[in-house]
Amino acid sequence: MWTRWWLWPLVAVCTADFFRDEAERIMRDSPVIDGHNDLPWQLLSMFNNRLQDTRANLTTLANTHTNIPKLRAGFVGGQFWSVYTPCDTQNQDAVRRTLEQIDVVHRMCQMYPETFLYVTSSAGIRQAFQEGKVASLIGVEGGHSIDSSLGVLRALYQLGMRYLTLTHNCNTPWADNWLVDTGDSKPQSQGLSPFGQRVVKELNRLGVLIDLAHVSVATMKATLQLSRAPVIFSHSSAYSVCASRRNVPDDVLRLVKQTDSLVMVNFYNNYISCTNKANLSQVADHLDHIKEVAGARAVGFGGDFDGVPRVPEGLEDVSKYPDLIAELLRRNWTEAEVKGALANNLLRVFEAVEQASNPTQAPEEEPIPRDELGGSCRTHYGYPSGASSLHRQWGFLLASLAALVLCQCLL
C-alpha cells in the first residue's frame, strides 16, 4: 500500500515530463506563429525607439515579456509585430506614429539578422522556418492608422502591412469598435459604413489579412459576410468562456467555421477569466471551446504579450508556449490539431488571402465623404470647396422657412 502511495506522484511527474517533451518535439518541427506582440510599443515607451541604447539590447532586454532568449525558449518561429498607435492620435498624428512604428520593426530585423527575418508572405514564413529564424511580419493595430484614406492603406501595404485591425478601442469614421457592445461608445456605422466596405474590398484586393480583434459584433458579422477571403481575430478569446465583449461569441464562431477563418487566442487575464487573475489551464479552456464550436482549423495563438499588464500564471512570457502545448496534449489534442494551432491554420488562412488577392484589378478609389471625416485640423483638397457646409446652410435655411410658413398659417 505504501509503495502505491509513493508511486502515483512519480507517475504524475513522469507523465508531465512526457507531455512537455512531446510539446518540444512537435515545436521543433512546427514552431508557433503568434498573431500579436506589442514589443514595438515597448521599444517606443521605454526607449523612444532608440534601438542602439544599450538598455534596448534584445538579447538582454529586461522587464518585458519578449526578448530573443525568451523567443528561442518558446519556439516562436513567426511573429506578427503590432504596429500600434493609441486612439488619441486619431485625426492628429496617427499616420506619422504608424510610420515610425513600422520603421522600428524594420530596424529591429536589420539589427538582429541572425534572429529575425522580415517577411511579407506565407512563403516567407516557411523560408524563416527553414533558416531557424523568427519570421517577422507587420500587423497594423487600428483602422485609425489609415486616417480614412485608401491611399494611405495602399502605402502601408507597400511598407509591409500584412494585417489591418479594423478598429482599436475607438470607432473609426467607417467601422464600429467593441465598446459599442458595452454601451461605452455610440454606434456610428452599424458595423461597416459604405466606405468601410470599400476598405474591406481593398484589403482583399491587395492580399492583406483582415483582423477583427477589437471590433463590434456588428462589424464582425458584416466583414465575415463581405470578405472574399478568410479573416483572423489576431488576439481574441471565447465569449462563452469569459463574457468580455472583446471576445468572440458563439454565433460569430460559427461564421468563423463557415468562412474557414481563424481566432488567435489572447492571454490577457481579463479576457481569459474576466478577473485580474488567470492561469494556463483557463487559456486552454478557451482553445478547447473554440475548437468545439468552430473546429480545430479555427484555432491559433495571439498572446498579446507586452501589450497587456497581466498575463496568466504559467504563461508569464513568450518562453512558456511549450507548457501550453503540453496542456493541450494532456487534453487529448492530436498532433495534427496542435500543429494546426501552432502554425498550419495561420499559414492556410494567409495562403487563402494571397490566392484571393487580385493586384491587377482596379483599386478602390472613391474617397470617404467629407462629412464623415473627423477632426478640425485637416485640409480638404480634392473635395468640392465648401460643398458640405453649403448643403447644411441650405438645409437650415429651408427648415427656417418651413417654420416661418407654419407660424403664418397658424396666425
Side-chain angles (χ1 to χ4, degrees):
M1 178 178 177
W2 286 107
T3 302
R4 293 178 184 173
W5 186 85
W6 284 105
L7 183 60
W8 285 116
L10 181 60
V11 169
V13 170
C14 291
T15 303
D17 288 344
F18 169 78
F19 287 124
R20 187 58 158 73
D21 291 345
E22 278 294 282
E24 290 194 12
R25 179 187 66 78
I26 292 169
M27 296 179 81
R28 287 189 186 95
D29 178 61
S30 183
V32 63
I33 303 172
D34 181 276
H36 194 88
N37 186 299
D38 277 292
L39 178 62
W41 178 253
Q42 294 299 327
L43 296 174
L44 172 63
S45 301
M46 297 169 70
F47 311 113
N48 203 10
N49 286 342
R50 291 172 294 184
L51 299 186
Q52 296 177 51
D53 187 318
T54 56
R55 298 169 299 163
N57 188 324
L58 294 188
T59 60
T60 57
L61 182 64
N63 302 316
T64 57
H65 298 142
T66 312
N67 61 27
I68 289 173
K70 291 174 182 176
L71 288 166
R72 293 298 189 195
F75 294 91
V76 178
Q79 184 64 68
F80 279 90
W81 300 109
S82 172
V83 165
Y84 164 69
T85 184
C87 281
D88 61 8
T89 66
Q90 184 162 212
N91 299 316
Q92 299 188 73
D93 57 349
V95 174
R96 173 206 151 193
R97 290 289 187 177
T98 300
L99 294 176
E100 289 175 345
Q101 293 309 101
I102 288 176
D103 170 71
V104 82
V105 173
H106 283 290
R107 288 191 289 119
M108 183 178 76
C109 294
Q110 293 161 4
M111 197 165 183
Y112 301 93
E114 72 289 346
T115 299
F116 303 117
L117 182 66
Y118 165 69
V119 304
T120 58
S121 66
S122 59
I125 296 175
R126 296 184 189 278
Q127 179 186 345
F129 282 7
Q130 292 173 359
E131 296 182 16
K133 297 180 180 180
V134 180
S136 295
L137 302 100
I138 292 171
V140 174
E141 187 182 14
H144 59 283
S145 283
I146 71 168
D147 198 26
S148 299
S149 167
L150 294 168
V152 171
L153 185 155
R154 287 186 283 269
L156 294 182
Y157 170 79
Q158 294 296 333
L159 291 172
M161 175 184 73
R162 286 304 179 269
Y163 77 59
L164 176 66
T165 315
L166 296 189
T167 73
H168 195 250
N169 297 338
C170 53
N171 292 338
T172 65
W174 43 272
D176 290 341
N177 85 102
W178 69 283
L179 292 173
V180 164
D181 297 329
T182 69
D184 293 317
S185 291
K186 293 182 179 180
Q188 291 178 223
S189 302
Q190 313 306 319
L192 291 171
S193 75
F195 181 78
Q197 294 173 19
R198 294 198 290 276
V199 169
V200 167
K201 291 176 182 178
E202 188 65 359
L203 291 168
N204 282 165
R205 187 189 74 84
L206 291 169
V208 176
L209 292 154
I210 297 169
D211 177 21
L212 298 182
H214 287 279
V215 306
S216 70
V217 170
T219 306
M220 294 177 193
K221 292 180 177 179
T223 306
L224 282 160
Q225 291 165 2
L226 177 64
S227 177
R228 292 187 293 104
V231 307
I232 66 169
F233 293 76
S234 70
H235 56 303
S236 297
S237 300
Y239 181 83
S240 287
V241 181
C242 166
S244 165
R245 287 298 180 180
R246 261 288 279 111
N247 290 335
V248 187
D250 283 359
D251 58 340
V252 176
L253 286 177
R254 286 187 279 273
L255 289 175
V256 166
K257 183 176 184 176
Q258 291 173 20
T259 56
D260 213 16
S261 295
L262 180 63
V263 179
M264 309 180 85
V265 169
N266 189 317
F267 297 169
Y268 181 38
N269 289 358
N270 295 64
Y271 303 155
I272 291 298
S273 67
C274 288
T275 69
N276 289 339
K277 293 184 178 181
N279 58 49
L280 180 151
S281 179
Q282 291 171 307
V283 174
D285 292 341
H286 284 263
L287 293 161
D288 277 343
H289 183 81
I290 293 168
K291 187 179 81 159
E292 180 183 352
V293 177
R297 289 165 60 89
V299 184
F301 303 106
D304 209 359
F305 283 116
D306 282 310
V308 294
R310 295 176 293 278
V311 290
E313 180 183 351
L315 286 169
E316 289 81 6
D317 56 53
V318 298
S319 73
K320 303 297 184 179
Y321 266 114
D323 293 323
L324 181 56
I325 299 307
E327 175 65 18
L328 297 182
L329 293 171
R330 192 175 292 110
R331 294 179 180 216
N332 296 316
W333 284 49
T334 67
E335 184 168 330
E337 289 171 342
V338 166
K339 285 185 173 181
L342 285 168
N344 291 343
N345 292 341
L346 184 280
L347 286 168
R348 182 199 77 246
V349 169
F350 200 177
E351 288 165 355
V353 168
E354 291 168 335
Q355 291 166 7
S357 68
N358 188 1
T360 62
Q361 176 186 337
E364 294 286 333
E365 287 189 330
E366 186 65 28
I368 190 169
R370 177 173 168 178
D371 284 348
E372 295 178 15
L373 284 171
S376 59
C377 298
R378 66 169 72 246
T379 59
H380 295 97
Y381 299 118
Y383 289 98
S385 178
S388 299
S389 60
L390 185 61
H391 289 157
R392 285 194 294 270
Q393 290 170 8
W394 274 109
F396 178 77
L397 181 59
L398 289 172
S400 300
L401 286 173
L404 182 60
V405 170
L406 179 62
C407 289
Q408 292 292 331
C409 292
L410 292 172
L411 291 174

